[in-house]
Amino acid sequence: LEVPIFALNDWICYEKLEVLDVGGAMVIHMFGAYFGLATCYMLRRGVQDFPDNTASEDHNVFAMVGSLFLWIYWPSFNGALAGEREELAIVGTIL
């Protein structure tokens, strides 16, 4: 199931949107994130089934700080490898 969906995602990003993805990392990670979220949503159970399975505030803060660091520094990582089209790579990474 995931291979055809990834192929569709890849085709949309590269052919239709003409995304500049240096090294192919952005498309695969974007697909993994959205596929994982969709899988978790489909397989979720109600909170009443597992009352002890809750996230603490510390874990949520660390996850948010890690996401913020990735959002800030990932465009420069992609842009450094793009050569003369680095502005396009940075904008594409942020969007």
Side-chain angles (χ1 to χ4, degrees):
L1 175 66
E2 52 272 342
V3 173
I5 295 173
F6 173 74
L8 177 66
N9 181 46
D10 193 58
W11 179 76
I12 290 171
C13 287
Y14 290 130
E15 299 298 325
K16 290 296 184 185
L17 300 177
E18 298 179 8
V19 172
L20 177 64
D21 185 15
V22 181
M26 184 175 64
V27 173
I28 189 70
H29 286 97
M30 179 179 64
F31 169 75
Y34 288 126
F35 193 84
L37 286 173
T39 303
C40 288
Y41 179 76
M42 296 304 292
L43 298 177
R44 69 185 162 93
R45 295 185 182 186
V47 177
Q48 66 273 12
D49 293 341
F50 302 99
D52 294 333
N53 190 16
T54 59
S56 70
E57 190 173 329
D58 293 339
H59 294 126
N60 291 338
V61 169
F62 282 125
M64 189 63 197
V65 169
S67 298
L68 184 64
F69 279 132
L70 281 174
W71 189 75
I72 290 171
Y73 293 116
W74 194 258
S76 63
F77 176 76
N78 274 352
L81 302 173
E84 40 185 70
R85 298 180 71 189
E86 72 179 27
E87 291 88 9
L88 183 61
I90 291 172
V91 169
T93 303
I94 291 174
L95 296 178

